[in-house]
């Protein structure tokens, strides 16, 4: 992991661990080295620069819509679209994310995805206690 620590920040949303990449190289490490195929992957749509966001799903359950929306809000917040009222965020399984040959850091391809529209905000305030 190197001396600069983990390449992501961690949030907790309704018991789901949400990982937010810190930059392009970190996004690649998060998506392709740390995330599991059945985790969810989120990123702002439309080519806007932003963090890759992973919702951990070790139990392989259907992630509740509210958790997806709050993770999407974090993806919007940690992006260049932070100032917008509503932001479109792509959501897919990590298994559907691939790296085109020769692509620059942070750039990926999605095999399939859904879109959610959310207001940018940081979810998962630290749990009390």
């Amino acid at each position: 992991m190197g001396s600069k620590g983990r390449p992501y920040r961690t949030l907790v949303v309704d018991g789901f661990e949400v990982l937010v990449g810190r930059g392009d190289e970190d996004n690649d490490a998060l998506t392709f080295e740390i995330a599991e195929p059945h985790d969810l992957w989120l990123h702002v749509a439309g080519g806007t620069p932003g963090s890759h966001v992973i919702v951990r799903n070790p139990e392989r359950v259907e992630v509740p819509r509210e958790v997806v929306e709050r993770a999407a809000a974090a993806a919007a917040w940690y992006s260049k679209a932070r100032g917008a009222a509503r932001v479109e965020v792509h959501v897919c399984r990590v298994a559907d994310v691939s790296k085109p040959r020769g692509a620059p850091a942070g750039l990926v391809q999605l095999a399939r995805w859904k879109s959610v529209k959310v207001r940018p905000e940081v979810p998962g305030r630290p749990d009390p206690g």
Side-chain angles (χ1 to χ4, degrees), residues 61-81:
V61 297
E62 184 74 30
V63 177
R65 180 166 182 83
E66 185 180 330
V67 173
V68 172
E69 288 180 350
R70 287 169 67 189
W77 179 264
Y78 291 109
S79 80
K80 295 277 193 278

Side-chain angles (χ1 to χ4, degrees), residues 3-124:
S3 58
K4 66 177 190 149
R6 296 182 304 186
Y8 54 86
R9 41 176 81 76
T10 304
L11 311 164
V12 178
V13 179
D14 294 349
F16 284 84
E17 197 179 23
V18 178
L19 312 180
V20 180
R22 294 181 183 276
D24 286 345
E25 280 81 9
D26 292 342
N27 281 336
D28 278 0
L30 177 59
T31 298
F32 298 110
E33 295 166 29
I34 296 165
E36 300 289 337
H38 43 269
D39 292 345
L40 289 186
W41 181 93
L42 301 93
H43 191 280
V44 286
T48 303
S51 293
H52 293 192
V53 173
I54 302 294
V55 179
R56 288 293 212 182
N57 188 12
E59 308 296 321
R60 305 181 187 215
V61 297
E62 184 74 30
V63 177
R65 180 166 182 83
E66 185 180 330
V67 173
V68 172
E69 288 180 350
R70 287 169 67 189
W77 179 264
Y78 291 109
S79 80
K80 295 277 193 278
R82 179 182 292 190
R86 303 284 286 177
V87 177
E88 185 182 353
V89 176
H90 287 159
V91 184
C92 65
R93 291 187 322 139
V94 169
D96 292 324
V97 183
S98 61
K99 184 89 186 155
R101 288 235 314 236
L107 189 74
V108 297
Q109 274 179 320
L110 307 182
R112 61 184 70 80
W113 68 88
K114 294 178 179 155
S115 290
V116 293
K117 281 244 171 67
V118 294
R119 189 165 55 88
E121 62 181 1
V122 181

